[in-house]
Amino acid sequence: MPREILFLQYEELKRDPIVQVKRQASFLEGSFNNEGEIDEVAWRCSLERRKDLEVNKDGERVRNGG
């Protein structure tokens, strides 16, 4: 059984992704070397970026091996 649980709310992630990325890293006992890394993680996880990925445009799943 986990001793600690981090609760996230979509609205908080959407409103302030940088703060939430820092919060998640702290919870996982991780750290970043600089603000650029935090920005990169927030960008990679953003809905704006993910909605434009090819896999999300056609609605089909990518299968390994055909």
Side-chain angles (χ1 to χ4, degrees):
M1 302 241 0
R3 289 184 268 166
E4 294 184 34
I5 298 172
L6 176 65
F7 290 97
L8 302 172
Q9 292 183 343
Y10 173 79
E11 293 81 7
E12 290 176 354
L13 290 168
K14 186 81 171 150
R15 181 176 47 248
D16 201 345
I18 300 298
V19 168
Q20 297 305 314
V21 166
K22 289 179 182 179
R23 189 171 159 239
Q24 291 172 50
S26 176
F27 177 78
L28 296 171
E29 297 179 357
S31 62
F32 293 98
N33 292 322
N34 57 55
E35 292 293 317
E37 287 182 350
I38 297 168
D39 292 339
E40 177 77 12
V41 170
W43 175 76
R44 288 190 176 278
C45 297
S46 72
L47 292 175
E48 290 77 22
R49 177 187 161 276
R50 292 183 3 214
K51 73 179 180 184
D52 290 331
L53 293 176
E54 193 63 35
V55 69
N56 294 327
K57 288 182 181 179
D58 61 17
E60 293 191 25
R61 300 177 99 185
V62 175
R63 297 177 191 225
N64 293 334

Coordinates of all heavy atoms in Angstrom, one line a residue:
M1 N 0.8 -1.2 0.0 CA 0.0 0.0 0.0 C 0.9 1.2 0.0 O 1.8 1.3 0.8 CB -0.9 0.0 1.2 CG -1.8 -1.2 1.4 SD -3.6 -1.0 1.4 CE -3.9 0.7 1.2
P2 N 0.6 2.2 -0.9 CA 1.4 3.4 -0.9 C 1.2 4.2 0.4 O 0.1 4.3 0.9 CB 0.8 4.2 -2.1 CG -0.5 3.6 -2.4 CD -0.5 2.2 -1.9
R3 N 2.2 4.8 0.8 CA 2.2 5.7 2.0 C 1.8 7.1 1.6 O 1.2 7.8 2.5 CB 3.5 5.7 2.7 CG 3.8 4.3 3.4 CD 5.0 4.4 4.2 NE 6.1 4.0 3.3 CZ 7.4 4.1 3.5 NH1 7.8 4.7 4.6 NH2 8.3 3.7 2.7
E4 N 2.1 7.5 0.4 CA 1.7 8.8 0.0 C 1.1 8.8 -1.3 O 1.4 8.0 -2.2 CB 3.0 9.7 0.0 CG 3.6 9.9 1.3 CD 4.8 10.8 1.2 OE1 4.8 11.8 0.4 OE2 5.8 10.6 1.9
I5 N 0.1 9.7 -1.5 CA -0.6 9.8 -2.8 C -0.6 11.3 -3.2 O -0.9 12.1 -2.4 CB -2.0 9.3 -2.7 CG1 -2.0 7.8 -2.3 CG2 -2.8 9.5 -4.0 CD1 -3.4 7.2 -2.0
L6 N -0.3 11.6 -4.5 CA -0.4 12.9 -5.0 C -1.6 13.0 -5.8 O -1.8 12.3 -6.8 CB 0.8 13.2 -5.8 CG 0.8 14.6 -6.5 CD1 0.9 15.7 -5.5 CD2 2.0 14.7 -7.5
F7 N -2.5 13.9 -5.4 CA -3.8 14.1 -6.1 C -3.6 15.3 -7.1 O -3.0 16.3 -6.7 CB -4.9 14.4 -5.2 CG -5.3 13.2 -4.4 CD1 -4.9 13.0 -3.1 CD2 -6.2 12.3 -4.9 CE1 -5.2 11.9 -2.4 CE2 -6.6 11.2 -4.2 CZ -6.1 11.0 -2.9
L8 N -4.0 15.1 -8.3 CA -3.8 16.1 -9.4 C -5.2 16.4 -9.9 O -6.1 15.6 -10.0 CB -3.0 15.6 -10.5 CG -1.6 15.2 -10.2 CD1 -1.0 14.6 -11.5 CD2 -0.8 16.4 -9.7
Q9 N -5.4 17.7 -10.2 CA -6.7 18.1 -10.8 C -6.4 18.7 -12.2 O -5.5 19.5 -12.3 CB -7.4 19.2 -9.9 CG -7.9 18.6 -8.6 CD -8.6 19.7 -7.8 OE1 -8.5 20.9 -8.1 NE2 -9.4 19.3 -6.8
Y10 N -7.2 18.3 -13.1 CA -7.0 18.7 -14.5 C -7.0 20.2 -14.6 O -6.2 20.8 -15.3 CB -8.2 18.1 -15.4 CG -8.1 18.7 -16.7 CD1 -7.3 18.2 -17.7 CD2 -9.0 19.7 -17.1 CE1 -7.2 18.7 -19.0 CE2 -9.0 20.3 -18.4 CZ -8.1 19.8 -19.3 OH -8.1 20.3 -20.6
E11 N -7.9 20.9 -13.8 CA -8.0 22.3 -13.9 C -6.7 23.0 -13.4 O -6.2 24.0 -14.0 CB -9.1 22.8 -13.0 CG -10.5 22.5 -13.5 CD -10.9 21.0 -13.2 OE1 -10.2 20.4 -12.4 OE2 -11.9 20.6 -13.7
E12 N -6.0 22.4 -12.4 CA -4.7 22.9 -11.9 C -3.6 22.7 -13.0 O -2.8 23.6 -13.2 CB -4.4 22.3 -10.6 CG -5.3 22.7 -9.5 CD -4.9 22.0 -8.2 OE1 -4.1 21.1 -8.2 OE2 -5.5 22.4 -7.1
L13 N -3.6 21.5 -13.6 CA -2.6 21.2 -14.6 C -2.8 22.2 -15.8 O -1.8 22.7 -16.3 CB -2.8 19.8 -15.1 CG -2.4 18.7 -14.1 CD1 -2.8 17.4 -14.6 CD2 -0.9 18.7 -13.9
K14 N -4.0 22.5 -16.2 CA -4.2 23.4 -17.3 C -3.9 24.8 -16.9 O -3.3 25.5 -17.8 CB -5.7 23.2 -17.7 CG -6.1 24.0 -18.9 CD -5.8 23.2 -20.1 CE -6.4 23.9 -21.3 NZ -5.7 23.7 -22.5
R15 N -4.2 25.2 -15.7 CA -4.0 26.6 -15.3 C -2.6 26.9 -15.1 O -2.1 28.0 -15.5 CB -4.8 26.9 -14.0 CG -4.7 28.3 -13.5 CD -5.6 28.6 -12.3 NE -5.4 27.6 -11.2 CZ -6.4 26.7 -10.9 NH1 -7.6 26.8 -11.5 NH2 -6.3 25.9 -9.9
D16 N -1.8 26.0 -14.5 CA -0.4 26.4 -14.2 C 0.5 25.1 -14.3 O 0.9 24.5 -13.3 CB -0.3 27.0 -12.8 CG 1.0 27.8 -12.6 OD1 1.9 27.6 -13.4 OD2 1.0 28.5 -11.6
P17 N 0.8 24.7 -15.5 CA 1.5 23.4 -15.7 C 2.9 23.5 -15.1 O 3.4 22.4 -14.6 CB 1.5 23.3 -17.2 CG 1.2 24.6 -17.8 CD 0.4 25.3 -16.8
I18 N 3.6 24.6 -15.1 CA 4.9 24.7 -14.6 C 4.9 24.3 -13.1 O 5.7 23.5 -12.6 CB 5.5 26.1 -14.8 CG1 5.6 26.4 -16.3 CG2 6.9 26.2 -14.2 CD1 6.5 25.5 -17.1
V19 N 4.0 24.9 -12.3 CA 3.9 24.7 -10.9 C 3.6 23.2 -10.7 O 4.2 22.6 -9.8 CB 2.9 25.6 -10.2 CG1 2.6 25.1 -8.8 CG2 3.4 27.0 -10.2
Q20 N 2.7 22.6 -11.5 CA 2.3 21.2 -11.3 C 3.5 20.3 -11.6 O 3.6 19.2 -11.0 CB 1.1 20.9 -12.1 CG -0.1 21.8 -11.6 CD -0.4 21.6 -10.2 OE1 -0.4 20.5 -9.6 NE2 -0.7 22.7 -9.5
V21 N 4.3 20.6 -12.7 CA 5.4 19.8 -13.0 C 6.4 19.8 -11.9 O 6.9 18.7 -11.5 CB 6.1 20.2 -14.3 CG1 7.4 19.6 -14.5 CG2 5.2 19.9 -15.5
K22 N 6.7 20.9 -11.3 CA 7.6 21.0 -10.1 C 7.0 20.2 -8.9 O 7.8 19.5 -8.2 CB 7.7 22.5 -9.7 CG 8.6 23.3 -10.7 CD 8.6 24.7 -10.2 CE 9.4 25.6 -11.1 NZ 9.5 27.0 -10.6
R23 N 5.7 20.3 -8.7 CA 5.1 19.6 -7.6 C 5.2 18.1 -7.8 O 5.5 17.4 -6.9 CB 3.6 20.0 -7.6 CG 2.9 19.6 -6.4 CD 1.5 20.2 -6.4 NE 0.6 19.4 -5.5 CZ -0.5 18.9 -5.9 NH1 -1.0 19.1 -7.1 NH2 -1.2 18.1 -5.1
Q24 N 5.0 17.6 -9.0 CA 5.1 16.2 -9.3 C 6.6 15.7 -9.1 O 6.8 14.6 -8.6 CB 4.7 15.9 -10.7 CG 3.2 16.1 -10.9 CD 2.8 15.9 -12.3 OE1 3.1 15.0 -13.0 NE2 2.0 16.9 -12.8
A25 N 7.5 16.5 -9.6 CA 8.9 16.1 -9.4 C 9.3 16.1 -7.9 O 10.0 15.1 -7.5 CB 9.8 17.1 -10.1
S26 N 8.8 17.0 -7.2 CA 9.1 17.0 -5.7 C 8.5 15.8 -5.1 O 9.1 15.1 -4.3 CB 8.5 18.3 -5.1 OG 8.7 18.3 -3.7
F27 N 7.3 15.4 -5.5 CA 6.6 14.3 -4.9 C 7.4 13.0 -5.2 O 7.5 12.1 -4.4 CB 5.2 14.2 -5.5 CG 4.5 12.9 -5.0 CD1 3.9 12.9 -3.7 CD2 4.3 11.8 -5.8 CE1 3.2 11.8 -3.3 CE2 3.7 10.7 -5.4 CZ 3.1 10.7 -4.1
L28 N 8.0 12.9 -6.4 CA 8.8 11.7 -6.8 C 10.2 11.8 -6.4 O 11.0 11.0 -6.8 CB 8.7 11.6 -8.3 CG 7.3 11.3 -8.9 CD1 7.3 11.4 -10.4 CD2 6.8 10.0 -8.4
E29 N 10.5 12.9 -5.6 CA 11.9 13.1 -5.1 C 12.9 13.3 -6.2 O 14.0 12.9 -6.2 CB 12.3 12.0 -4.1 CG 11.4 11.9 -2.9 CD 11.8 10.8 -2.0 OE1 12.7 10.0 -2.3 OE2 11.2 10.7 -0.9
G30 N 12.4 14.0 -7.3 CA 13.2 14.3 -8.4 C 13.5 15.8 -8.4 O 13.0 16.6 -7.6
S31 N 14.4 16.2 -9.4 CA 14.7 17.6 -9.5 C 15.1 17.9 -10.9 O 15.3 17.0 -11.7 CB 15.9 17.9 -8.5 OG 17.0 17.2 -8.9
F32 N 15.1 19.2 -11.2 CA 15.5 19.6 -12.5 C 16.8 20.4 -12.4 O 17.0 21.1 -11.4 CB 14.4 20.5 -13.1 CG 13.1 19.8 -13.4 CD1 12.1 19.8 -12.5 CD2 13.0 19.0 -14.6 CE1 10.9 19.1 -12.8 CE2 11.9 18.3 -14.8 CZ 10.8 18.4 -14.0
N33 N 17.6 20.4 -13.5 CA 18.8 21.2 -13.4 C 18.6 22.7 -13.7 O 19.4 23.5 -13.3 CB 19.8 20.6 -14.5 CG 20.3 19.3 -14.1 OD1 20.5 19.0 -12.9 ND2 20.4 18.4 -15.0
N34 N 17.5 23.0 -14.4 CA 17.3 24.4 -14.8 C 15.8 24.6 -15.2 O 15.1 23.6 -15.4 CB 18.2 24.9 -15.8 CG 18.1 24.1 -17.1 OD1 17.1 23.9 -17.7 ND2 19.3 23.5 -17.6
E35 N 15.4 25.8 -15.3 CA 14.0 26.1 -15.7 C 13.7 25.6 -17.1 O 12.6 25.3 -17.4 CB 13.8 27.6 -15.6 CG 13.8 28.2 -14.2 CD 12.6 27.6 -13.3 OE1 11.5 27.6 -13.8 OE2 12.9 27.3 -12.2
G36 N 14.7 25.5 -18.0 CA 14.5 25.0 -19.3 C 14.0 23.6 -19.3 O 13.1 23.2 -20.1
E37 N 14.5 22.8 -18.4 CA 14.0 21.4 -18.3 C 12.6 21.3 -17.9 O 11.8 20.5 -18.4 CB 14.9 20.6 -17.3 CG 16.3 20.3 -17.9 CD 17.1 19.5 -16.9 OE1 16.6 19.3 -15.7 OE2 18.1 18.9 -17.3
I38 N 12.2 22.2 -17.0 CA 10.8 22.2 -16.5 C 9.9 22.6 -17.7 O 8.8 22.0 -17.9 CB 10.7 23.2 -15.3 CG1 11.5 22.7 -14.2 CG2 9.2 23.3 -14.9 CD1 11.6 23.7 -13.0
D39 N 10.3 23.7 -18.4 CA 9.5 24.1 -19.6 C 9.4 23.0 -20.6 O 8.3 22.8 -21.2 CB 10.2 25.3 -20.2 CG 10.1 26.6 -19.3 OD1 9.3 26.6 -18.4 OD2 10.9 27.5 -19.6
E40 N 10.5 22.2 -20.8 CA 10.4 21.1 -21.8 C 9.4 20.0 -21.4 O 8.7 19.6 -22.2 CB 11.8 20.5 -21.9 CG 11.9 19.4 -22.8 CD 11.9 19.7 -24.3 OE1 12.1 20.9 -24.7 OE2 11.8 18.8 -25.1
V41 N 9.5 19.7 -20.1 CA 8.5 18.6 -19.6 C 7.1 19.1 -19.8 O 6.2 18.4 -20.3 CB 8.8 18.2 -18.2 CG1 7.7 17.4 -17.6 CG2 10.2 17.5 -18.1
A42 N 6.8 20.4 -19.4 CA 5.5 20.9 -19.4 C 5.0 21.0 -20.9 O 3.9 20.6 -21.2 CB 5.5 22.3 -18.8
W43 N 5.9 21.3 -21.8 CA 5.6 21.4 -23.2 C 5.3 20.0 -23.8 O 4.3 19.8 -24.5 CB 6.7 22.1 -24.0 CG 6.4 22.0 -25.5 CD1 5.5 22.8 -26.2 CD2 7.0 21.1 -26.5 NE1 5.6 22.5 -27.5 CE2 6.4 21.4 -27.7 CE3 7.9 20.1 -26.4 CZ2 6.8 20.7 -28.9 CZ3 8.3 19.4 -27.5 CH2 7.7 19.7 -28.7
R44 N 6.1 19.0 -23.5 CA 5.9 17.7 -24.0 C 4.6 17.1 -23.5 O 4.0 16.2 -24.2 CB 7.1 16.8 -23.6 CG 8.3 17.1 -24.4 CD 9.4 16.0 -24.2 NE 10.6 16.3 -25.0 CZ 10.6 16.0 -26.3 NH1 9.6 15.4 -26.9 NH2 11.7 16.3 -27.0
C45 N 4.2 17.4 -22.3 CA 2.9 16.9 -21.7 C 1.7 17.7 -22.1 O 0.6 17.3 -21.7 CB 3.1 16.8 -20.2 SG 4.4 15.6 -19.7
S46 N 1.9 18.8 -22.7 CA 0.8 19.7 -23.0 C -0.3 19.2 -23.9 O 0.1 18.4 -24.9 CB 1.3 21.1 -23.5 OG 1.7 20.9 -24.8
L47 N -1.5 19.4 -23.7 CA -2.6 19.0 -24.6 C -2.4 19.6 -25.9 O -2.7 19.0 -27.0 CB -3.9 19.3 -24.0 CG -4.3 18.5 -22.7 CD1 -5.6 19.0 -22.2 CD2 -4.4 17.1 -23.0
E48 N -2.0 20.9 -26.0 CA -1.8 21.6 -27.2 C -0.8 20.8 -28.2 O -1.0 20.7 -29.3 CB -1.3 23.0 -27.0 CG -2.3 23.9 -26.4 CD -2.5 23.7 -24.9 OE1 -1.6 23.2 -24.2 OE2 -3.5 24.1 -24.4
R49 N 0.3 20.3 -27.6 CA 1.2 19.6 -28.4 C 0.7 18.2 -28.7 O 0.8 17.7 -29.8 CB 2.6 19.4 -27.6 CG 3.6 18.6 -28.3 CD 4.8 18.3 -27.4 NE 5.5 17.2 -27.9 CZ 5.3 15.9 -27.7 NH1 4.3 15.6 -26.9 NH2 6.0 14.9 -28.2
R50 N 0.1 17.5 -27.7 CA -0.3 16.1 -28.0 C -1.5 16.0 -28.9 O -1.6 15.1 -29.7 CB -0.7 15.5 -26.6 CG 0.6 15.3 -25.8 CD 0.3 14.6 -24.5 NE -1.0 14.2 -24.2 CZ -1.5 14.2 -23.0 NH1 -0.9 14.6 -22.0 NH2 -2.8 13.7 -22.8
K51 N -2.3 17.0 -29.0 CA -3.4 16.9 -29.9 C -3.0 17.0 -31.4 O -3.7 16.6 -32.3 CB -4.5 18.0 -29.6 CG -4.1 19.4 -30.0 CD -5.2 20.4 -29.7 CE -4.7 21.8 -30.1 NZ -5.7 22.8 -29.8
D52 N -1.8 17.5 -31.6 CA -1.3 17.7 -33.0 C -0.4 16.5 -33.4 O 0.1 16.4 -34.5 CB -0.5 19.0 -33.1 CG -1.4 20.2 -33.1 OD1 -2.5 20.1 -33.5 OD2 -0.9 21.2 -32.7
L53 N -0.2 15.5 -32.5 CA 0.6 14.3 -32.9 C -0.2 13.5 -33.9 O -1.4 13.4 -33.9 CB 0.9 13.5 -31.7 CG 1.8 14.1 -30.6 CD1 1.9 13.1 -29.4 CD2 3.2 14.4 -31.2
E54 N 0.5 12.9 -34.9 CA -0.1 12.2 -35.9 C -1.1 11.1 -35.4 O -2.2 10.9 -35.9 CB 0.9 11.6 -36.9 CG 0.4 11.1 -38.2 CD -0.2 12.1 -39.0 OE1 0.3 13.3 -39.0 OE2 -1.2 11.9 -39.7
V55 N -0.7 10.4 -34.4 CA -1.5 9.3 -33.9 C -2.8 9.8 -33.4 O -3.8 9.1 -33.4 CB -0.7 8.5 -32.8 CG1 -0.5 9.4 -31.5 CG2 -1.4 7.2 -32.4
N56 N -2.9 11.0 -32.9 CA -4.1 11.6 -32.4 C -5.0 12.2 -33.5 O -6.1 12.6 -33.2 CB -3.8 12.6 -31.3 CG -3.2 11.9 -30.1 OD1 -3.5 10.8 -29.8 ND2 -2.3 12.6 -29.4
K57 N -4.5 12.4 -34.7 CA -5.2 13.0 -35.8 C -6.2 12.0 -36.5 O -7.3 12.4 -36.8 CB -4.3 13.6 -36.8 CG -3.6 14.9 -36.3 CD -2.7 15.5 -37.3 CE -2.0 16.7 -36.8 NZ -1.2 17.3 -37.8
D58 N -5.7 10.8 -36.7 CA -6.5 9.9 -37.4 C -7.3 8.9 -36.6 O -8.1 8.2 -37.0 CB -5.7 9.1 -38.5 CG -4.6 8.3 -37.8 OD1 -4.6 8.0 -36.6 OD2 -3.6 7.9 -38.5
G59 N -7.0 8.9 -35.3 CA -7.7 8.1 -34.3 C -7.4 6.6 -34.4 O -8.0 5.8 -33.7
E60 N -6.4 6.2 -35.2 CA -6.0 4.8 -35.3 C -4.8 4.5 -34.4 O -4.0 5.4 -34.2 CB -5.7 4.4 -36.7 CG -6.9 4.5 -37.6 CD -6.6 3.9 -39.0 OE1 -5.7 3.0 -39.0 OE2 -7.3 4.2 -39.9
R61 N -4.8 3.3 -33.8 CA -3.7 2.9 -33.0 C -2.6 2.4 -33.8 O -2.7 1.8 -34.8 CB -4.2 1.8 -32.0 CG -5.4 2.2 -31.2 CD -5.8 1.1 -30.3 NE -5.2 1.3 -29.0 CZ -5.3 0.4 -28.0 NH1 -5.9 -0.7 -28.2 NH2 -4.7 0.7 -26.9
V62 N -1.4 2.7 -33.3 CA -0.2 2.2 -34.0 C 0.1 0.8 -33.4 O 0.2 0.7 -32.2 CB 1.0 3.1 -33.7 CG1 2.3 2.6 -34.3 CG2 0.7 4.5 -34.3
R63 N 0.3 -0.2 -34.2 CA 0.6 -1.5 -33.7 C 2.0 -1.9 -34.1 O 2.5 -1.7 -35.2 CB -0.4 -2.5 -34.4 CG -1.8 -2.3 -34.0 CD -2.7 -3.2 -34.6 NE -4.1 -2.8 -34.4 CZ -5.0 -3.6 -34.1 NH1 -4.8 -4.9 -34.0 NH2 -6.3 -3.1 -34.0
N64 N 2.7 -2.6 -33.2 CA 4.0 -3.1 -33.5 C 3.9 -4.3 -34.3 O 3.1 -5.2 -34.1 CB 4.7 -3.4 -32.2 CG 5.0 -2.2 -31.4 OD1 5.2 -1.1 -31.9 ND2 5.2 -2.3 -30.1
G65 N 4.7 -4.4 -35.4 CA 4.8 -5.6 -36.2 C 3.6 -5.7 -37.2 O 3.4 -6.7 -37.8
G66 N 2.9 -4.6 -37.4 CA 1.9 -4.6 -38.5 C 0.6 -4.6 -38.0 O -0.4 -4.8 -38.0

